[in-house]
Amino acid sequence: MKHEKAILFMGEKMKNLLFISMISFLLCGCSVFSKNITEQTKPITIYMENEQYANSLQQLWIKTYPKNRNALRFVKKLQKDVDLRWSDDTFVRNHKEQLKPYAITYEYDVPKHMIEKDLKSIYTPMIMQGYVFCYRDDILKKQYHQENIETFEQIIEKQIPYYTNYLDYNIYPFFYDTYHSRFMKEYRIKKRMKQYKQLIQQLNMKQSTEYNHIFYEIEPYVCGLLYTNDGFEKSESYKKGNLRFQAFPTWKQKSLPLPIKTYGFTVLEHCKNNVYAKQFLQLVRSQEGIQCLLDLNIKVPIIASKDIDCFDIYDYGKKELIQTMNASELFDHKIWMKESEWLQQNIYMCSEFASILQNYVCSNQSVDQLYQSSK
């Protein structure tokens, strides 16, 4: 009897110990679980200066994820606790170690030539900016009996007034293959400079030393390079449908891609809420996310040419800009990282080369004399 009571006592004691252990385990588990939940539901902070765009994305997020309506917090000033930020491709390239890689499938992919391979896992480009070729359609048809401008040889033959100046973006297309040459040989530079001077003389145009962003409204100019953010939509030429955009004309049967920059979103390394971050990046490159850019006239949305008709674009200029800039290329910043000869070190630092080229075109100096004097 005593033995049976002892067994019962020990059984009750073991039950109590098991009960206490189970309670402790559950409490501990709940604590860990609560911590994970807190991290996953913590709002993410996004740096975005454009308040209208931020509001538009906020509303789209609430519409898409109503149960997590407070998951995004936009700020106009850069802060230490920012999880995602709007930046350009230069920042992304120079701060890779501060950015978190991610794998995402977008509804509308970024065209391959609009993002460098080594940035794909840390950068979501949204818009592109740069210079585009434009022309006055009404003047071209009425005075020169041309439907479009395909080559510089055509511009020379018809003596179509082409606006240009010596800023680096104007000379870049003509020296495109030289810029991208790994070995910048002296004879190639001299040859190209001679060709450029010959082209300018054949165009028979007075060179401008300052950029005039409304050159297309000024006689006698018919065509030239226009920056995408110059507010051309307010011009009478654009309102009447006379300002048109197309790929840069070829020269000596070579295409001359114009250089562009891109802007978009990237995730900072310290971002804890990967779920919200990925959902947000998927949202901005969804149909409705890209439509936000179009509706707010934020130029120029990155949309593959094959996908343009999937969006509500009623302005002729917006469509033409996207198609035109899809023929552009990212500026190759890697060329500045390569060791090369005199050209990179002294001349091709944009403005300096532009100045030297201007002196050559306007003076009677030979290219050999100019080359020697600039060393």
Side-chain angles (χ1 to χ4, degrees), residues 87-96 113-119 123 129-130 168 172 176 179-182 184 227 258-263 329-340 344 348-350:
S87 56
D88 62 17
D89 49 10
T90 303
F91 173 87
V92 177
R93 190 181 304 102
N94 294 337
H95 298 84
K96 292 180 186 178
H113 69 289
M114 288 293 173
I115 184 170
E116 295 176 20
K117 288 183 180 180
D118 57 340
L119 303 186
Y123 182 44
Q129 292 181 3
D168 60 284
Y172 178 93
Y176 176 80
Y179 257 118
H180 286 68
S181 172
R182 182 168 294 184
M184 300 177 182
Y227 192 66
L258 291 168
I260 59 168
K261 283 184 67 66
T262 65
Y263 295 78
E329 291 190 5
L330 295 173
F331 183 76
D332 187 3
H333 289 79
K334 292 178 182 177
I335 61 173
W336 307 119
M337 305 302 291
K338 299 171 184 174
E339 292 186 7
S340 58
Q344 179 181 328
Y348 255 25
M349 299 308 285
C350 295

Short mmCIF file of all heavy atoms in Angstrom, two decimals, residues 87-96 113-119 123 129-130 168 172 176 179-182 184 227 258-263 329-340 344 348-350:
data_model
loop_
_atom_site.label_atom_id
_atom_site.label_comp_id
_atom_site.label_asym_id
_atom_site.label_seq_id
_atom_site.Cartn_x
_atom_site.Cartn_y
_atom_site.Cartn_z
N SER A 87 17.25 56.32 -56.02
CA SER A 87 18.60 56.77 -56.34
C SER A 87 18.88 56.52 -57.81
O SER A 87 18.09 55.89 -58.52
CB SER A 87 19.63 56.04 -55.47
OG SER A 87 19.49 54.64 -55.61
N ASP A 88 20.01 57.02 -58.29
CA ASP A 88 20.39 56.80 -59.68
C ASP A 88 21.37 55.64 -59.79
O ASP A 88 21.86 55.12 -58.79
CB ASP A 88 20.96 58.07 -60.31
CG ASP A 88 22.24 58.55 -59.63
OD1 ASP A 88 22.85 57.75 -58.89
OD2 ASP A 88 22.62 59.71 -59.83
N ASP A 89 21.62 55.24 -61.03
CA ASP A 89 22.49 54.07 -61.23
C ASP A 89 23.92 54.32 -60.77
O ASP A 89 24.63 53.39 -60.41
CB ASP A 89 22.46 53.63 -62.70
CG ASP A 89 22.68 54.78 -63.68
OD1 ASP A 89 23.05 55.89 -63.24
OD2 ASP A 89 22.46 54.57 -64.88
N THR A 90 24.35 55.59 -60.76
CA THR A 90 25.70 55.91 -60.29
C THR A 90 25.84 55.60 -58.80
O THR A 90 26.83 55.00 -58.36
CB THR A 90 26.04 57.39 -60.55
OG1 THR A 90 25.90 57.67 -61.94
CG2 THR A 90 27.45 57.71 -60.10
N PHE A 91 24.85 56.00 -58.00
CA PHE A 91 24.87 55.70 -56.57
C PHE A 91 24.90 54.19 -56.34
O PHE A 91 25.68 53.70 -55.50
CB PHE A 91 23.64 56.30 -55.88
CG PHE A 91 23.50 55.88 -54.45
CD1 PHE A 91 24.13 56.60 -53.44
CD2 PHE A 91 22.75 54.76 -54.10
CE1 PHE A 91 24.03 56.19 -52.11
CE2 PHE A 91 22.63 54.36 -52.77
CZ PHE A 91 23.27 55.08 -51.78
N VAL A 92 24.07 53.48 -57.05
CA VAL A 92 24.00 52.02 -56.88
C VAL A 92 25.35 51.39 -57.21
O VAL A 92 25.84 50.52 -56.47
CB VAL A 92 22.90 51.42 -57.79
CG1 VAL A 92 22.87 49.90 -57.66
CG2 VAL A 92 21.54 52.00 -57.44
N ARG A 93 25.95 51.84 -58.29
CA ARG A 93 27.23 51.28 -58.70
C ARG A 93 28.33 51.56 -57.68
O ARG A 93 29.22 50.72 -57.46
CB ARG A 93 27.62 51.89 -60.05
CG ARG A 93 28.82 51.23 -60.73
CD ARG A 93 29.14 51.90 -62.05
NE ARG A 93 28.00 51.92 -62.94
CZ ARG A 93 27.24 52.99 -63.16
NH1 ARG A 93 27.50 54.12 -62.52
NH2 ARG A 93 26.22 52.94 -63.99
N ASN A 94 28.28 52.72 -57.05
CA ASN A 94 29.34 53.13 -56.13
C ASN A 94 29.12 52.68 -54.69
O ASN A 94 30.00 52.85 -53.84
CB ASN A 94 29.50 54.64 -56.15
CG ASN A 94 30.01 55.15 -57.49
OD1 ASN A 94 30.63 54.41 -58.24
ND2 ASN A 94 29.74 56.41 -57.80
N HIS A 95 27.93 52.12 -54.38
CA HIS A 95 27.63 51.73 -52.99
C HIS A 95 27.07 50.31 -52.91
O HIS A 95 26.19 50.01 -52.10
CB HIS A 95 26.64 52.71 -52.36
CG HIS A 95 27.15 54.11 -52.28
ND1 HIS A 95 27.08 55.00 -53.32
CD2 HIS A 95 27.75 54.78 -51.25
CE1 HIS A 95 27.60 56.15 -52.96
NE2 HIS A 95 28.02 56.05 -51.72
N LYS A 96 27.57 49.43 -53.72
CA LYS A 96 27.07 48.05 -53.76
C LYS A 96 27.11 47.38 -52.40
O LYS A 96 26.21 46.62 -52.03
CB LYS A 96 27.89 47.23 -54.76
CG LYS A 96 27.72 47.62 -56.20
CD LYS A 96 28.60 46.72 -57.08
CE LYS A 96 28.57 47.16 -58.52
NZ LYS A 96 29.46 46.33 -59.36
N HIS A 113 19.11 46.02 -71.74
CA HIS A 113 20.13 47.04 -71.97
C HIS A 113 19.96 48.26 -71.07
O HIS A 113 20.74 49.21 -71.14
CB HIS A 113 20.14 47.47 -73.44
CG HIS A 113 18.94 48.24 -73.87
ND1 HIS A 113 17.69 47.66 -74.00
CD2 HIS A 113 18.77 49.55 -74.19
CE1 HIS A 113 16.82 48.57 -74.38
NE2 HIS A 113 17.45 49.73 -74.51
N MET A 114 18.92 48.25 -70.21
CA MET A 114 18.66 49.37 -69.32
C MET A 114 19.21 49.16 -67.91
O MET A 114 19.02 49.99 -67.03
CB MET A 114 17.16 49.65 -69.23
CG MET A 114 16.58 50.26 -70.47
SD MET A 114 17.21 51.91 -70.76
CE MET A 114 16.53 52.28 -72.36
N ILE A 115 19.88 48.04 -67.69
CA ILE A 115 20.48 47.78 -66.38
C ILE A 115 21.73 46.93 -66.55
O ILE A 115 21.74 45.98 -67.32
CB ILE A 115 19.48 47.10 -65.42
CG1 ILE A 115 20.09 46.93 -64.03
CG2 ILE A 115 18.98 45.77 -65.98
CD1 ILE A 115 19.10 46.49 -62.96
N GLU A 116 22.79 47.30 -65.84
CA GLU A 116 24.03 46.54 -65.91
C GLU A 116 23.84 45.20 -65.21
O GLU A 116 23.14 45.09 -64.20
CB GLU A 116 25.16 47.33 -65.25
CG GLU A 116 25.49 48.62 -65.99
CD GLU A 116 26.57 49.43 -65.27
OE1 GLU A 116 27.30 48.85 -64.45
OE2 GLU A 116 26.65 50.64 -65.52
N LYS A 117 24.48 44.18 -65.72
CA LYS A 117 24.33 42.83 -65.21
C LYS A 117 24.62 42.73 -63.71
O LYS A 117 23.90 42.06 -62.97
CB LYS A 117 25.23 41.87 -65.98
CG LYS A 117 24.76 41.59 -67.40
CD LYS A 117 25.67 40.58 -68.08
CE LYS A 117 25.19 40.30 -69.50
NZ LYS A 117 26.07 39.31 -70.19
N ASP A 118 25.68 43.41 -63.28
CA ASP A 118 26.07 43.27 -61.87
C ASP A 118 25.20 44.10 -60.92
O ASP A 118 25.40 44.08 -59.71
CB ASP A 118 27.54 43.65 -61.68
CG ASP A 118 27.85 45.05 -62.17
OD1 ASP A 118 27.07 45.58 -62.97
OD2 ASP A 118 28.87 45.62 -61.74
N LEU A 119 24.22 44.82 -61.46
CA LEU A 119 23.31 45.60 -60.61
C LEU A 119 21.91 44.99 -60.54
O LEU A 119 21.06 45.47 -59.78
CB LEU A 119 23.20 47.04 -61.13
CG LEU A 119 24.49 47.86 -61.25
CD1 LEU A 119 24.17 49.30 -61.64
CD2 LEU A 119 25.29 47.84 -59.95
N TYR A 123 19.02 46.45 -57.71
CA TYR A 123 18.51 47.71 -58.27
C TYR A 123 17.28 47.45 -59.13
O TYR A 123 17.25 46.53 -59.93
CB TYR A 123 19.62 48.36 -59.09
CG TYR A 123 19.29 49.71 -59.70
CD1 TYR A 123 18.63 50.70 -58.99
CD2 TYR A 123 19.68 50.00 -61.01
CE1 TYR A 123 18.36 51.94 -59.56
CE2 TYR A 123 19.42 51.23 -61.59
CZ TYR A 123 18.76 52.19 -60.87
OH TYR A 123 18.49 53.42 -61.44
N GLN A 129 16.62 59.13 -68.01
CA GLN A 129 16.76 60.53 -68.37
C GLN A 129 17.99 60.73 -69.23
O GLN A 129 18.97 60.00 -69.10
CB GLN A 129 16.85 61.41 -67.11
CG GLN A 129 15.57 61.47 -66.31
CD GLN A 129 15.69 62.36 -65.09
OE1 GLN A 129 16.70 62.99 -64.84
NE2 GLN A 129 14.63 62.41 -64.30
N GLY A 130 17.93 61.71 -70.09
CA GLY A 130 19.07 61.99 -70.96
C GLY A 130 18.63 62.85 -72.13
O GLY A 130 17.55 63.47 -72.10
N ASP A 168 29.40 68.44 -73.63
CA ASP A 168 29.83 67.06 -73.82
C ASP A 168 28.75 66.14 -74.39
O ASP A 168 29.03 65.24 -75.16
CB ASP A 168 30.36 66.49 -72.50
CG ASP A 168 29.30 66.50 -71.42
OD1 ASP A 168 29.02 67.59 -70.87
OD2 ASP A 168 28.75 65.44 -71.12
N TYR A 172 29.29 63.72 -77.65
CA TYR A 172 29.43 62.30 -77.28
C TYR A 172 29.01 61.36 -78.41
O TYR A 172 29.75 60.42 -78.72
CB TYR A 172 28.62 62.01 -76.02
CG TYR A 172 28.66 60.56 -75.58
CD1 TYR A 172 29.60 60.12 -74.65
CD2 TYR A 172 27.78 59.62 -76.10
CE1 TYR A 172 29.66 58.80 -74.26
CE2 TYR A 172 27.83 58.30 -75.72
CZ TYR A 172 28.76 57.90 -74.80
OH TYR A 172 28.82 56.58 -74.42
N TYR A 176 31.28 58.14 -80.04
CA TYR A 176 30.76 57.01 -79.27
C TYR A 176 31.70 55.81 -79.29
O TYR A 176 32.08 55.27 -78.26
CB TYR A 176 29.39 56.60 -79.80
CG TYR A 176 28.81 55.38 -79.12
CD1 TYR A 176 28.19 55.51 -77.88
CD2 TYR A 176 28.90 54.12 -79.68
CE1 TYR A 176 27.66 54.40 -77.23
CE2 TYR A 176 28.39 53.02 -79.05
CZ TYR A 176 27.77 53.15 -77.83
OH TYR A 176 27.26 52.06 -77.20
N TYR A 179 34.90 56.49 -77.40
CA TYR A 179 34.68 56.43 -75.94
C TYR A 179 34.74 54.98 -75.45
O TYR A 179 35.30 54.67 -74.42
CB TYR A 179 33.28 56.95 -75.61
CG TYR A 179 33.24 58.34 -75.04
CD1 TYR A 179 32.57 59.35 -75.73
CD2 TYR A 179 33.82 58.65 -73.82
CE1 TYR A 179 32.49 60.63 -75.20
CE2 TYR A 179 33.74 59.92 -73.29
CZ TYR A 179 33.07 60.90 -73.98
OH TYR A 179 32.98 62.16 -73.47
N HIS A 180 34.14 54.09 -76.21
CA HIS A 180 34.00 52.71 -75.77
C HIS A 180 35.15 51.81 -76.22
O HIS A 180 35.07 50.60 -76.09
CB HIS A 180 32.67 52.14 -76.26
CG HIS A 180 31.51 52.68 -75.51
ND1 HIS A 180 31.11 53.99 -75.60
CD2 HIS A 180 30.66 52.10 -74.62
CE1 HIS A 180 30.07 54.19 -74.81
NE2 HIS A 180 29.77 53.08 -74.21
N SER A 181 36.19 52.42 -76.76
CA SER A 181 37.34 51.63 -77.17
C SER A 181 38.23 51.37 -75.97
O SER A 181 38.57 52.28 -75.23
CB SER A 181 38.13 52.38 -78.25
OG SER A 181 39.35 51.71 -78.51
N ARG A 182 38.62 50.15 -75.78
CA ARG A 182 39.50 49.82 -74.65
C ARG A 182 40.89 50.43 -74.84
O ARG A 182 41.56 50.81 -73.89
CB ARG A 182 39.60 48.30 -74.52
CG ARG A 182 40.45 47.85 -73.34
CD ARG A 182 40.29 46.38 -73.08
NE ARG A 182 38.97 46.05 -72.65
CZ ARG A 182 38.58 44.83 -72.28
NH1 ARG A 182 39.44 43.84 -72.30
NH2 ARG A 182 37.35 44.60 -71.92
N MET A 184 42.52 53.48 -76.55
CA MET A 184 42.23 54.76 -77.20
C MET A 184 43.47 55.25 -77.94
O MET A 184 44.27 56.01 -77.41
CB MET A 184 41.76 55.77 -76.16
CG MET A 184 40.50 55.32 -75.44
SD MET A 184 40.03 56.49 -74.16
CE MET A 184 38.59 55.67 -73.48
N TYR A 227 16.90 67.74 -73.81
CA TYR A 227 16.94 67.00 -72.55
C TYR A 227 15.52 66.66 -72.11
O TYR A 227 14.60 67.48 -72.22
CB TYR A 227 17.65 67.81 -71.47
CG TYR A 227 17.97 66.99 -70.25
CD1 TYR A 227 18.88 65.94 -70.32
CD2 TYR A 227 17.37 67.25 -69.03
CE1 TYR A 227 19.19 65.17 -69.21
CE2 TYR A 227 17.67 66.49 -67.91
CZ TYR A 227 18.56 65.45 -68.01
OH TYR A 227 18.86 64.68 -66.90
N LEU A 258 22.57 57.47 -77.91
CA LEU A 258 22.76 58.55 -76.94
C LEU A 258 22.86 57.98 -75.53
O LEU A 258 22.14 57.04 -75.19
CB LEU A 258 21.59 59.54 -77.03
CG LEU A 258 21.54 60.36 -78.32
CD1 LEU A 258 20.20 61.07 -78.44
CD2 LEU A 258 22.67 61.37 -78.36
N PRO A 259 23.72 58.54 -74.68
CA PRO A 259 23.88 58.01 -73.33
C PRO A 259 22.76 58.47 -72.40
O PRO A 259 22.30 59.60 -72.49
CB PRO A 259 25.22 58.61 -72.88
CG PRO A 259 25.30 59.90 -73.64
CD PRO A 259 24.63 59.66 -74.96
N ILE A 260 22.32 57.59 -71.52
CA ILE A 260 21.25 57.93 -70.57
C ILE A 260 21.63 57.49 -69.16
O ILE A 260 22.51 56.66 -68.96
CB ILE A 260 19.91 57.28 -70.96
CG1 ILE A 260 20.06 55.75 -71.00
CG2 ILE A 260 19.40 57.82 -72.27
CD1 ILE A 260 18.73 55.03 -71.08
N LYS A 261 20.92 58.06 -68.19
CA LYS A 261 20.99 57.63 -66.79
C LYS A 261 19.66 57.04 -66.40
O LYS A 261 18.63 57.39 -66.98
CB LYS A 261 21.30 58.82 -65.88
CG LYS A 261 22.73 59.28 -65.88
CD LYS A 261 22.94 60.39 -64.88
CE LYS A 261 22.78 59.91 -63.45
NZ LYS A 261 23.82 58.96 -63.04
N THR A 262 19.66 56.17 -65.41
CA THR A 262 18.41 55.63 -64.90
C THR A 262 18.27 55.94 -63.41
O THR A 262 19.26 56.16 -62.70
CB THR A 262 18.33 54.10 -65.10
OG1 THR A 262 19.34 53.46 -64.31
CG2 THR A 262 18.49 53.72 -66.56
N TYR A 263 17.02 55.95 -62.95
CA TYR A 263 16.69 56.18 -61.54
C TYR A 263 15.69 55.11 -61.11
O TYR A 263 14.84 54.68 -61.90
CB TYR A 263 16.07 57.56 -61.34
CG TYR A 263 17.00 58.71 -61.62
CD1 TYR A 263 17.27 59.10 -62.93
CD2 TYR A 263 17.64 59.40 -60.59
CE1 TYR A 263 18.14 60.16 -63.21
CE2 TYR A 263 18.50 60.46 -60.85
CZ TYR A 263 18.75 60.83 -62.17
OH TYR A 263 19.61 61.86 -62.44
N GLU A 329 21.55 53.98 -74.91
CA GLU A 329 22.33 53.03 -74.11
C GLU A 329 22.80 53.69 -72.83
O GLU A 329 22.96 54.91 -72.77
CB GLU A 329 23.56 52.53 -74.89
CG GLU A 329 23.20 51.64 -76.06
CD GLU A 329 24.43 50.97 -76.67
OE1 GLU A 329 25.53 51.14 -76.10
OE2 GLU A 329 24.27 50.30 -77.69
N LEU A 330 23.00 52.88 -71.81
CA LEU A 330 23.54 53.39 -70.56
C LEU A 330 24.94 53.92 -70.80
O LEU A 330 25.72 53.33 -71.55
CB LEU A 330 23.60 52.28 -69.50
CG LEU A 330 22.28 51.70 -69.03
CD1 LEU A 330 22.53 50.50 -68.13
CD2 LEU A 330 21.46 52.74 -68.28
N PHE A 331 25.24 55.04 -70.16
CA PHE A 331 26.60 55.55 -70.27
C PHE A 331 27.55 54.58 -69.58
O PHE A 331 27.30 54.14 -68.45
CB PHE A 331 26.71 56.93 -69.62
CG PHE A 331 28.07 57.54 -69.77
CD1 PHE A 331 28.47 58.08 -70.97
CD2 PHE A 331 28.96 57.54 -68.70
CE1 PHE A 331 29.74 58.62 -71.12
CE2 PHE A 331 30.23 58.08 -68.85
CZ PHE A 331 30.62 58.62 -70.06
N ASP A 332 28.60 54.21 -70.27
CA ASP A 332 29.53 53.21 -69.75
C ASP A 332 30.53 53.85 -68.79
O ASP A 332 31.58 54.33 -69.19
CB ASP A 332 30.27 52.55 -70.92
CG ASP A 332 31.11 51.37 -70.45
OD1 ASP A 332 31.07 51.06 -69.23
OD2 ASP A 332 31.81 50.77 -71.27
N HIS A 333 30.19 53.85 -67.50
CA HIS A 333 31.07 54.44 -66.50
C HIS A 333 32.35 53.64 -66.30
O HIS A 333 33.32 54.13 -65.74
CB HIS A 333 30.34 54.57 -65.16
CG HIS A 333 29.27 55.61 -65.16
ND1 HIS A 333 28.04 55.37 -65.72
CD2 HIS A 333 29.25 56.89 -64.72
CE1 HIS A 333 27.29 56.46 -65.58
NE2 HIS A 333 28.00 57.39 -65.00
N LYS A 334 32.34 52.41 -66.77
CA LYS A 334 33.51 51.57 -66.57
C LYS A 334 34.72 52.09 -67.34
O LYS A 334 35.85 51.75 -67.01
CB LYS A 334 33.21 50.13 -67.01
CG LYS A 334 32.20 49.44 -66.10
CD LYS A 334 31.91 48.04 -66.61
CE LYS A 334 30.87 47.36 -65.72
NZ LYS A 334 30.52 46.02 -66.22
N ILE A 335 34.47 52.90 -68.37
CA ILE A 335 35.60 53.38 -69.15
C ILE A 335 36.51 54.27 -68.31
O ILE A 335 37.70 54.36 -68.56
CB ILE A 335 35.15 54.16 -70.41
CG1 ILE A 335 34.33 55.40 -70.04
CG2 ILE A 335 34.38 53.28 -71.35
CD1 ILE A 335 34.01 56.28 -71.21
N TRP A 336 35.92 54.90 -67.29
CA TRP A 336 36.75 55.77 -66.44
C TRP A 336 37.60 54.95 -65.47
O TRP A 336 38.53 55.46 -64.85
CB TRP A 336 35.88 56.74 -65.65
CG TRP A 336 34.95 57.52 -66.51
CD1 TRP A 336 33.60 57.53 -66.45
CD2 TRP A 336 35.30 58.41 -67.58
NE1 TRP A 336 33.08 58.35 -67.42
CE2 TRP A 336 34.09 58.90 -68.11
CE3 TRP A 336 36.49 58.82 -68.14
CZ2 TRP A 336 34.05 59.79 -69.18
CZ3 TRP A 336 36.46 59.71 -69.21
CH2 TRP A 336 35.27 60.18 -69.71
N MET A 337 37.27 53.68 -65.34
CA MET A 337 38.01 52.84 -64.42
C MET A 337 39.21 52.17 -65.11
O MET A 337 40.05 51.56 -64.47
CB MET A 337 37.08 51.74 -63.87
CG MET A 337 35.82 52.27 -63.21
SD MET A 337 36.17 53.41 -61.85
CE MET A 337 36.86 52.24 -60.67
N LYS A 338 39.24 52.25 -66.45
CA LYS A 338 40.32 51.59 -67.19
C LYS A 338 41.48 52.54 -67.41
O LYS A 338 41.29 53.71 -67.68
CB LYS A 338 39.80 51.11 -68.56
CG LYS A 338 38.67 50.10 -68.45
CD LYS A 338 38.07 49.84 -69.82
CE LYS A 338 36.88 48.90 -69.74
NZ LYS A 338 36.19 48.74 -71.00
N GLU A 339 42.65 52.02 -67.32
CA GLU A 339 43.82 52.82 -67.61
C GLU A 339 43.92 52.99 -69.12
O GLU A 339 43.73 52.06 -69.88
CB GLU A 339 45.08 52.14 -67.07
CG GLU A 339 45.14 52.11 -65.55
CD GLU A 339 46.45 51.57 -65.06
OE1 GLU A 339 47.34 51.34 -65.90
OE2 GLU A 339 46.57 51.37 -63.85
N SER A 340 44.20 54.19 -69.55
CA SER A 340 44.34 54.43 -70.98
C SER A 340 45.35 55.53 -71.21
O SER A 340 46.04 55.97 -70.31
CB SER A 340 42.98 54.79 -71.58
OG SER A 340 42.46 55.92 -70.92
N GLN A 344 41.97 59.85 -72.08
CA GLN A 344 41.14 59.78 -70.89
C GLN A 344 41.64 60.74 -69.82
O GLN A 344 40.86 61.41 -69.15
CB GLN A 344 41.13 58.36 -70.33
CG GLN A 344 40.29 58.25 -69.07
CD GLN A 344 40.31 56.85 -68.52
OE1 GLN A 344 40.41 55.89 -69.27
NE2 GLN A 344 40.22 56.73 -67.22
N TYR A 348 39.25 63.58 -72.47
CA TYR A 348 37.89 63.05 -72.44
C TYR A 348 37.20 63.17 -71.10
O TYR A 348 36.26 62.46 -70.84
CB TYR A 348 37.88 61.59 -72.90
CG TYR A 348 37.34 61.48 -74.30
CD1 TYR A 348 37.41 62.55 -75.17
CD2 TYR A 348 36.73 60.32 -74.75
CE1 TYR A 348 36.92 62.48 -76.44
CE2 TYR A 348 36.25 60.23 -76.02
CZ TYR A 348 36.34 61.30 -76.87
OH TYR A 348 35.85 61.22 -78.13
N MET A 349 37.68 64.08 -70.28
CA MET A 349 36.93 64.37 -69.07
C MET A 349 35.90 65.43 -69.44
O MET A 349 35.86 66.54 -68.94
CB MET A 349 37.86 64.84 -67.96
CG MET A 349 38.90 63.81 -67.56
SD MET A 349 38.21 62.19 -67.19
CE MET A 349 37.49 62.51 -65.59
N CYS A 350 35.07 65.07 -70.38
CA CYS A 350 33.90 65.83 -70.85
C CYS A 350 34.19 67.28 -71.20
O CYS A 350 34.47 67.60 -72.34
CB CYS A 350 32.79 65.73 -69.81
SG CYS A 350 32.18 64.06 -69.61
#
